[in-house]
Amino acid sequence: MAETLTKTELEHALFSAADSLRSKMDANEYKNYLLGIIFYKYLSDKLLYIAAESLDPNFIDDRDDLPLDKWQKMYAENADDAELLSDLKATLMYLISPEHTFTYIFNEINGEARTKDGNLKTFQISDLADAFNDIESTSKDFDGLFKDVQLYSQKLGSNAQKQADTISEVIKSIGKINLIEQDDQNNKNDTLGDAYEYLIREFASESGKKAGEFYTPQKVSELLTKLTLVGKKYPEGMTVYDPAMGSGSLLLNFKKYIKDFAGGDPNKVIYYGQEINISTFNLARMNMILHGVDSGNQHLRQGDTLDADWPPISQTMFDAVVMNPPYSLKWSANKGFLQDPRFSPYGVLAPKSKADYAFLLHGFYHLKNTGTMAIVLPHGVLFRGAAEGKIRKKLLENGSIDAVIGLPANLFYNTSIPTVILVLKKNKENRDVIFIDASKGFEKKKNQNELREEDIQKILDTYEKHEDVERYAHLAKYDEIEENDFNLNIPRYVDTFIPEPPVDLKKVASDLHDTNVEIEKNQKELVGMLKELTSDDSDVMDGLDAIIKELEAELHE
């Protein structure tokens, strides 16, 4: 029987499935195996579930009593039904042949699978490789999806049998977990998607600095998302874009928050994202599917965001742009980019050694006139001069920068430096900038600091009101910013200094007097007790007399 678990049980059960891999490789590598195999099981089980439902009208009522092998059997018996296969592919966008289903391979590992002629079938590592190829070949949407699950890696074992043994342990660990019941047939329940997010977060924690390649801490993602939704209503849905999307977690927050924060339909969010790292790109694709995002609503691309503009500006502009790009990344800064419409209005390019403003201008270029952009960057973008200073000045002159929000240090896995969120808009009514110093609002965790819900809400409330808050926020007029030579360093605008309370000298003198009186009293009591002590040893008594005389001398001073 398949096990249906609570959310927490599911998360821990899935994460523990990586135990057989932990001693063989680091977290940044074994995450690809576990996440890939979980995704494979999800695709396979969903196929069997829908096939069984198509074949048996009573399946929904009876499914709790159907073991996985019966699902597989029901599908296998009808594998040659062309109409069934056509309907399944139209519904799922993929197909998996019976011998390549997770259930069949799970049964192979447990000695319960047989070939068509009745012979016992044992698991080989090539069986799983063939299954992955089967899925990838069924649709361009799945092309190369399992590329990073390196089944023949020496890290799994020195030969094919040892590699099969290692993978078998992972498959057995998750084989009885009911992923379909967690997901639900209508993709309205995000339990499985949330569990996948949990795994990504745990892998990020174990990966250390490498985690910055694929994961933005969830609380920071939540803040970025909500900042772009402040004051907005999207009842007909919205378009969102992350040009450095990592695992796609930041984009997926719009599905989570659009209803409560912008009155929108979670199923009508259109996602655009680009990621340069192929492994991380594939992770984002899996993440989208496991969160029930329709294939027509996701437009993900593997590529270099700065090297060539994407998507075409004629194709779409975005209601929200969110980004946590790699900080101070080197880029070509080729002079040809001065003719690129993303950068040409500013007359200069971000320096080769620091692409921060290149990422910012790329995202801002793709923002709708009515949209909002939120990007995390290092504090240097606020005050560095030369080309960056010229770009910053132009943005301020145009009224493009709406908010500067200082975050606490050590929020991210790949760096401990404090960071800043810049919120940008087009066609603002004024050129005011709200400065918020939120650097002290966090909870200290074992390895990282973490924003709390109250910290996020305070930032959002302050941003929405655009009003001064003592030692926390200041609404700066353009003239004030100009007087500061367009330097946006937060301490220039928000004074967080708390003066020490004045010292009451009379009270200090009184306390000192009372303390001296108490000391004198205690010394007199001590002298009295020492005088009562006796000993037959003359040396001891001589020493005691010396101590008494010394104390009495102090009392007479």
Side-chain angles (χ1 to χ4, degrees), residues 230 232 364 367-369 371-373 398-402 423-428 463:
V230 169
K232 303 291 186 179
F364 190 61
L367 186 67
K368 280 184 180 178
N369 287 339
T372 303
M373 174 180 171
N398 293 340
S400 303
I401 299 177
D402 192 42
V423 182
L424 297 99
K425 292 183 176 182
K426 293 180 177 178
N427 296 336
K428 278 177 56 184
Y463 172 66

Side-chain angles (χ1 to χ4, degrees), residues 225-226 228-238 253-269 319:
T225 303
K226 290 180 176 179
T228 67
L229 295 176
V230 169
K232 303 291 186 179
K233 292 295 178 185
Y234 296 109
E236 302 302 319
M238 65 183 302
N253 272 327
F254 286 92
K255 184 175 187 286
K256 185 183 297 185
Y257 298 119
I258 187 175
K259 182 177 180 181
D260 291 338
F261 281 81
D265 184 346
N267 295 316
K268 292 183 178 179
V269 180
D319 295 303

Side-chain angles (χ1 to χ4, degrees), residues 28-80:
N28 200 45
E29 293 175 297
Y30 70 68
K31 82 175 192 305
N32 295 329
Y33 290 94
L34 183 60
L35 294 175
I37 291 172
I38 289 171
F39 182 68
Y40 161 57
K41 174 175 167 56
Y42 167 78
L43 294 179
S44 176
D45 288 0
K46 187 156 190 173
L47 171 72
L48 295 177
Y49 178 98
I50 292 179
E53 185 180 9
S54 301
L55 294 164
D56 182 358
N58 298 317
F59 172 70
I60 294 178
D61 295 330
D62 297 339
R63 69 179 183 271
D64 289 341
D65 298 323
L66 288 175
L68 287 175
D69 58 356
K70 187 173 182 181
W71 293 4
Q72 190 263 340
K73 181 181 178 182
M74 293 171 70
Y75 175 68
E77 289 174 350
N78 294 269
D80 295 328

Side-chain angles (χ1 to χ4, degrees), residues 434-491:
I434 182 73
F435 289 84
I436 300 173
D437 187 340
S439 60
K440 295 179 176 61
F442 63 90
E443 179 180 2
K444 188 173 182 60
K445 291 295 185 74
K446 183 178 179 180
N447 295 319
Q448 268 78 38
N449 295 328
E450 184 176 288
L451 295 174
R452 299 163 296 189
E453 284 300 321
E454 58 263 36
D455 302 321
I456 293 173
Q457 194 57 50
K458 184 177 181 180
I459 293 170
L460 293 172
D461 289 343
T462 305
Y463 172 66
E464 184 170 19
K465 292 176 182 177
H466 259 55
E467 295 176 352
D468 284 14
V469 178
E470 187 176 6
R471 289 192 293 275
Y472 185 75
H474 174 61
L475 181 63
K477 301 295 183 183
Y478 176 79
D479 290 347
E480 183 180 354
I481 296 170
E482 187 178 29
E483 288 174 5
N484 276 293
D485 199 24
F486 302 100
N487 185 319
L488 301 183
N489 203 14
I490 296 174

Side-chain angles (χ1 to χ4, degrees), residues 196-197 200 247 249 252 283-291:
Y196 212 65
E197 282 287 324
I200 294 171
S247 61
S249 302
L252 285 164
L283 182 55
R285 296 163 72 193
M286 295 180 189
N287 206 6
M288 286 278 172
I289 293 171
L290 284 171
H291 277 87

Side-chain angles (χ1 to χ4, degrees), residues 149-441:
V149 187
Q150 300 291 323
L151 296 175
Y152 298 102
S153 170
Q154 291 290 304
K155 291 186 177 181
L156 292 177
S158 58
N159 55 51
Q161 184 57 56
K162 290 183 178 180
Q163 292 159 4
D165 291 343
T166 301
I167 291 298
S168 294
E169 290 300 314
V170 179
I171 290 175
K172 286 193 290 187
S173 296
I174 65 172
K176 291 293 186 180
I177 299 175
N178 190 338
L179 300 184
I180 303 306
E181 195 70 15
Q182 310 294 343
D183 171 64
D184 104 5
Q185 60 178 332
N186 295 314
N187 286 320
K188 293 178 180 177
N189 189 337
D190 268 345
T191 302
L192 180 57
D194 289 344
Y196 212 65
E197 282 287 324
Y198 167 83
L199 294 178
I200 294 171
R201 181 172 70 248
E202 291 301 302
F203 289 134
S205 179
E206 292 191 3
S207 297
K209 289 187 176 182
K210 293 182 180 178
E213 298 175 4
F214 63 88
Y215 189 70
T216 298
Q218 182 54 38
K219 292 299 183 182
V220 179
S221 293
E222 178 185 340
L223 176 58
L224 288 167
T225 303
K226 290 180 176 179
L227 282 167
T228 67
L229 295 176
V230 169
K232 303 291 186 179
K233 292 295 178 185
Y234 296 109
E236 302 302 319
M238 65 183 302
T239 56
V240 299
Y241 179 40
D242 184 349
M245 69 176 173
S247 61
S249 302
L250 180 48
L251 283 172
L252 285 164
N253 272 327
F254 286 92
K255 184 175 187 286
K256 185 183 297 185
Y257 298 119
I258 187 175
K259 182 177 180 181
D260 291 338
F261 281 81
D265 184 346
N267 295 316
K268 292 183 178 179
V269 180
I270 309 299
Y271 306 88
Y272 281 76
Q274 184 159 238
E275 170 58 42
I276 192 170
N277 184 292
I278 184 63
S279 300
T280 308
F281 169 67
N282 285 333
L283 182 55
R285 296 163 72 193
M286 295 180 189
N287 206 6
M288 286 278 172
I289 293 171
L290 284 171
H291 277 87
V293 176
D294 186 85
S295 60
N297 286 3
Q298 49 176 297
H299 306 272
L300 310 183
R301 181 175 183 265
Q302 193 260 322
D304 186 333
T305 288
L306 301 181
D307 184 58
D309 188 24
W310 182 87
I313 201 67
S314 59
Q315 184 173 329
T316 186
M317 299 283 278
F318 300 99
D319 295 303
V321 175
V322 287
M323 206 185 327
N324 178 27
Y327 306 147
S328 300
L329 184 75
K330 293 180 180 179
W331 75 303
S332 70
N334 190 293
K335 290 184 178 180
F337 282 121
L338 286 171
Q339 308 305 316
D340 189 311
R342 296 174 294 172
F343 312 121
S344 58
Y346 303 88
V348 293
L349 298 172
K352 288 184 178 182
S353 60
K354 296 178 179 66
D356 301 319
Y357 271 105
F359 280 109
L360 183 150
L361 294 180
H362 169 88
F364 190 61
Y365 175 69
H366 285 277
L367 186 67
K368 280 184 180 178
N369 287 339
T370 56
T372 303
M373 174 180 171
I375 181 172
V376 184
L377 291 170
H379 273 259
V381 300
L382 302 178
F383 52 80
R384 292 193 298 244
E388 290 182 303
K390 292 177 182 179
I391 294 171
R392 186 171 60 247
K393 179 181 178 182
K394 184 72 172 178
L395 289 167
L396 290 164
E397 288 175 340
N398 293 340
S400 303
I401 299 177
D402 192 42
V404 176
I405 304 168
L407 297 178
N410 203 30
L411 287 180
F412 300 90
Y413 295 106
N414 60 324
T415 180
S416 61
I417 65 170
T419 53
V420 63
I421 293 176
L422 294 183
V423 182
L424 297 99
K425 292 183 176 182
K426 293 180 177 178
N427 296 336
K428 278 177 56 184
E429 293 181 357
N430 56 58
R431 296 187 287 181
D432 299 348
V433 178
I434 182 73
F435 289 84
I436 300 173
D437 187 340
S439 60
K440 295 179 176 61

